Amino acid sequence: MLKYLKKYWFFALLAPVFMIGEVSMDLLQPELMSRIIDDGVLGLNNGGVGNLNTVITIGLKMIGFVALGGICGIMSGVFANLCAQQFGNDVRKAVFKRIMEFSFEQTDKFSTGSLITRVTNDITQLQNFVMQCLRGFVRTSMLFIGGIACMVSLNMEFGIIIACALPFVAVCVVYFIAKANPKFTVLQKKLDKVNNVMQENVSGARVVKAYVKEDYETERFEKANNELVSTQLDVLLLLSYMTPIMNIILNLSVVAVIKVGGIQVSAGSATPGNVMAAITYCSQVLNAVMRMTMIFQTASRGIASKKRVMEIINCDPAIKSGTYNNKETAVKGKVEFKNVSFAYPGMDNENVIENFNLVINPGETIGILGATGCGKSSLVNLIPRFYDVTKGEVLIDDVNVKDYDLQVLRDKVSIALQKPEIFSTTIAENIAWGDDSADIEKIRQAADIAQATEFIDNRTDGMDTQVSQGGHSLSGGQKQRVAISRAVLKNSEILIFDDATSALDLKTEADLYSELSVKKYDVTRIIIAQRIASVKNADRIVVMDNGRLADVGSHSELIKTSEIYKDIYESQLKGNE
């Protein structure tokens, strides 16, 4: 974490320097008050006659020191905030950047709710920790050490009193902090759970309502929230016992100072001003210790949060970028699977793809058909390296995908999914994700190809129509067409439709493929579909069965040679014909 603070070393230096100035002014006050009482009011050095000028002079000094201390305190707060906030900003961006580099495997491992908690709450706890280190720790340390030194300089017996109180204070602090420390990590995990439930229900609100599960989900949220509150109460109740115990020690110490001071004043070895100053110093020292306990609490939460944040920062991406960054290759759009086997992480003995071999030529249209769960989507996820193969090789343009720089590799591929991701911005900006530099004319051309122009123009704001979060203001077919427009606009060498037309009617789908054939003839197209009508006109159709390549050929060939294909055809098309 220190590397994120180095940039702001100047602020990190000035904050404690100004805090030292503020505390120094606080430590001067009791001694000045002692002189006002002894010389200005009681006149102990003037035959018992008070001196108003002394009161005014020293009083004005005290006011000046208070003002100077206030300015120092303000400046300390300004620089500490600048340092802590900028530090938190950098850490938050670093964590988010690392999350964006995660593979799907790693995102699933942490869970969305936990990642949100770490980017928000955990980094806020770290910011508070930095603030406390720059201001609170310096203030309490100086008050503690300075107060004891000033008490001893006034009277050694006063120093002995505070020395007797400190062991009790130390035992109290160590005990309660040791008890509370492990609970902070548990607390953050409970917050993860609340965020997970919240995220699932907000994104899945339509399903919740459709199945009338509001009460069930409310109970689930209440359970997670009650666990969070229960853990918070455990921590707060534990720490709440500490405050009255510390107050008792503080008040007993003050009583002892008053008692000893009274005896010494009667004996003439101390003055009332000395006793008053000693009481103030005693209060400053023990209050510093009490504040230190709050700093330890913040530090404990900060350390727990730091571990969680560092888990993200130190987690190397499972999919690491290669070094091959030549965008201009001899062939463009060629895909080859060589003896490919694949199992999802943690399921090494359950291959979803087994010994798969296929060459897709540049500019070819390939349809992939098969039963649900046969590995169609898993296969195409290997092309842009969303996952890596367990065995074998995937090559694009005769280069292993593992050798490619990830950005170069993924620039070669456009993907439209069955469940498209639509962002809460305008339709035009959603499509422009495919090409940031595209003007409105290119965006409209992509929408034309995707058969999206008609429904877009029927909207009041057209391309500038604002889409709600998750695209809930659009129908399923409309979302798919926006996503297809985005993929088309990217103009990559390889275009993958992962059941991306499932919500489109057959005519719209046919018009889409007709437009693609005319205007995107040089692109290699891979079409995953459940409907034979979606892939019937492909150059070749790949039939998958339990992760294996069962048959491959044109529609007319497969009708004659593939039992699996004929079964699908019989069930879908022959009856209609």
Side-chain angles (χ1 to χ4, degrees):
M1 285 294 163
L2 287 177
K3 70 177 183 179
Y4 297 104
L5 276 173
K6 283 181 181 178
K7 288 170 59 178
Y8 311 106
W9 66 268
F10 189 62
F11 296 151
L13 178 65
L14 286 178
V17 166
F18 278 108
M19 180 51 67
I20 291 170
E22 181 185 12
V23 176
S24 298
M25 299 301 103
D26 290 342
L27 291 172
L28 287 173
Q29 299 298 320
E31 194 274 333
L32 293 173
M33 180 58 71
S34 172
R35 288 170 55 190
I36 287 178
I37 293 171
D38 290 342
D39 299 334
V41 178
L42 300 178
L44 297 182
N45 297 320
N46 193 29
V49 179
N51 188 332
L52 183 60
N53 287 333
T54 299
V55 174
I56 294 172
T57 302
I58 298 177
L60 289 173
K61 281 186 180 179
M62 290 179 70
I63 293 171
F65 288 149
V66 168
L68 182 58
I71 293 171
C72 287
I74 291 170
M75 296 304 295
S76 175
V78 168
F79 289 118
N81 272 296
L82 283 172
C83 181
Q85 294 299 323
Q86 296 289 355
F87 160 80
N89 182 34
D90 287 351
V91 173
R92 189 172 283 110
K93 288 188 289 189
V95 171
F96 183 79
K97 182 180 178 183
R98 179 49 54 90
I99 291 171
M100 290 294 98
E101 294 171 349
F102 278 178
S103 65
F104 293 158
E105 166 194 355
Q106 291 169 302
T107 304
D108 293 341
K109 171 188 170 185
F110 284 102
S111 84
T112 304
S114 178
L115 292 174
I116 291 171
T117 304
R118 293 173 200 238
V119 172
T120 53
N121 185 271
D122 281 313
I123 292 178
T124 299
Q125 297 300 334
L126 270 176
Q127 287 178 207
N128 293 337
F129 177 48
V130 171
M131 280 282 293
Q132 289 286 21
C133 287
L134 295 178
R135 298 191 74 229
F137 184 76
V138 173
R139 179 177 178 80
T140 53
S141 299
M142 275 199 66
L143 282 176
F144 179 76
I145 297 170
I148 291 176
C150 290
M151 285 186 71
V152 171
S153 68
L154 285 173
N155 191 305
M156 184 60 71
E157 292 186 22
F158 294 152
I160 293 172
I161 292 171
I162 198 69
C164 291
L166 287 177
F168 295 100
V169 171
V171 169
C172 182
V173 170
V174 170
Y175 174 78
F176 284 107
I177 294 300
K179 285 285 187 181
N181 239 4
K183 294 181 181 291
F184 291 120
T185 300
V186 176
L187 185 65
Q188 295 305 103
K189 289 181 179 178
K190 298 295 183 185
L191 187 57
D192 286 348
K193 191 173 181 180
V194 170
N195 280 339
N196 268 328
V197 175
M198 186 69 185
Q199 186 265 335
E200 286 174 358
N201 279 277
V202 171
S203 61
R206 292 190 178 190
V207 176
V208 173
K209 292 180 183 299
Y211 285 86
V212 197
K213 285 290 186 179
E214 290 92 341
D215 291 342
Y216 172 81
E217 291 300 328
T218 299
E219 287 177 11
R220 196 159 74 97
F221 180 81
E222 285 178 358
K223 182 181 178 182
N225 197 50
N226 287 340
E227 289 176 0
L228 173 64
V229 171
S230 177
T231 306
Q232 284 178 323
L233 282 174
D234 285 346
V235 175
L236 294 174
L237 285 173
L238 183 63
L239 294 174
S240 68
Y241 295 139
M242 183 169 61
T243 303
I245 293 173
M246 300 283 281
N247 278 328
I248 291 170
I249 297 172
L250 170 63
N251 291 323
L252 288 175
S253 301
V254 172
V255 169
V257 169
I258 293 172
K259 179 65 177 176
V260 171
I263 295 171
Q264 291 186 345
V265 168
S266 299
S269 59
T271 66
N274 291 151
V275 176
M276 183 65 70
I279 292 171
T280 306
Y281 284 129
C282 182
S283 298
Q284 286 180 337
V285 169
L286 295 177
N287 276 319
V289 175
M290 290 183 68
R291 288 183 180 179
M292 187 66 78
T293 62
M294 302 307 296
I295 292 172
F296 286 147
Q297 177 186 343
T298 303
S300 297
R301 296 196 72 166
I303 290 169
S305 292
K306 178 204 166 192
K307 290 178 181 177
R308 287 162 52 84
V309 170
M310 292 307 295
E311 279 182 1
I312 303 293
I313 291 177
N314 293 334
C315 185
D316 288 332
I319 305 293
K320 293 185 178 179
S321 183
T323 57
Y324 186 85
N325 58 8
N326 185 7
K327 296 181 181 180
E328 299 300 325
T329 50
V331 291
K332 287 183 179 292
K334 181 181 178 183
V335 181
E336 184 174 0
F337 297 92
K338 281 187 176 181
N339 304 316
V340 168
S341 294
F342 170 69
Y344 283 101
M347 303 177 67
D348 294 337
N349 296 324
E350 298 181 24
N351 283 348
V352 293
I353 298 172
E354 189 74 47
N355 196 29
F356 193 94
N357 289 277
L358 179 69
V359 176
I360 303 173
N361 298 310
E364 190 175 19
T365 298
I366 291 289
I368 301 180
L369 207 64
T372 301
C374 69
K376 302 186 296 295
S377 295
S378 300
L379 183 72
V380 296
N381 281 338
L382 302 176
I383 296 174
R385 287 191 74 196
F386 291 157
Y387 295 94
D388 274 338
V389 298
T390 308
K391 293 180 182 178
E393 294 179 304
V394 178
L395 296 91
I396 291 184
D397 299 338
D398 297 326
V399 178
N400 193 317
V401 292
K402 292 183 179 180
D403 296 333
Y404 273 104
D405 176 273
L406 277 176
Q407 184 173 342
V408 173
L409 171 66
R410 289 171 181 170
D411 276 344
K412 288 176 171 285
V413 183
S414 296
I415 297 182
L417 304 173
Q418 179 183 13
K419 186 180 178 183
E421 294 295 336
I422 303 297
F423 301 94
S424 52
T425 181
T426 64
I427 291 176
E429 288 172 344
N430 264 287
I431 296 173
W433 268 64
D435 182 0
D436 292 339
S437 62
D439 56 25
I440 191 64
E441 187 58 37
K442 287 185 177 180
I443 292 172
R444 290 194 69 86
Q445 287 175 3
D448 286 341
I449 294 171
Q451 308 302 300
T453 305
E454 183 179 354
F455 90 80
I456 293 172
D457 288 343
N458 286 336
R459 300 274 174 142
T460 305
D461 295 324
M463 284 286 183
D464 294 325
T465 299
Q466 194 74 24
V467 181
S468 64
Q469 186 175 7
H472 293 316
S473 58
L474 301 177
S475 70
Q478 289 170 343
K479 285 192 285 187
Q480 284 191 342
R481 280 177 280 174
V482 170
I484 292 169
S485 303
R486 179 194 299 160
V488 168
L489 182 65
K490 190 178 178 184
N491 197 26
S492 300
E493 299 168 16
I494 301 163
L495 180 60
I496 299 173
F497 284 175
D498 188 355
D499 214 5
T501 59
S502 59
L504 304 185
D505 61 81
L506 292 176
K507 181 181 183 304
T508 303
E509 184 182 32
D511 291 342
L512 162 66
Y513 288 131
S514 176
E515 287 289 318
L516 282 173
S517 298
V518 173
K519 299 181 181 179
K520 306 288 287 183
Y521 59 89
D522 57 338
V523 170
T524 302
R525 293 185 290 279
I526 302 173
I527 302 168
I528 294 175
Q530 300 292 338
R531 303 184 300 203
I532 283 185
S534 301
V535 297
K536 186 178 179 181
N537 295 320
D539 297 321
R540 285 187 295 161
I541 301 169
V542 172
V543 181
M544 292 187 67
D545 184 33
N546 292 324
R548 295 178 179 272
L549 192 155
D551 296 291
V552 61
S554 66
H555 170 71
S556 58
E557 292 170 343
L558 291 175
I559 282 291
K560 300 173 183 176
T561 60
S562 174
E563 290 297 327
I564 297 174
Y565 190 81
K566 280 193 288 185
D567 286 343
I568 298 173
Y569 176 75
E570 293 283 345
S571 63
Q572 289 187 13
L573 295 183
K574 192 172 181 182
N576 292 335
E577 289 179 355

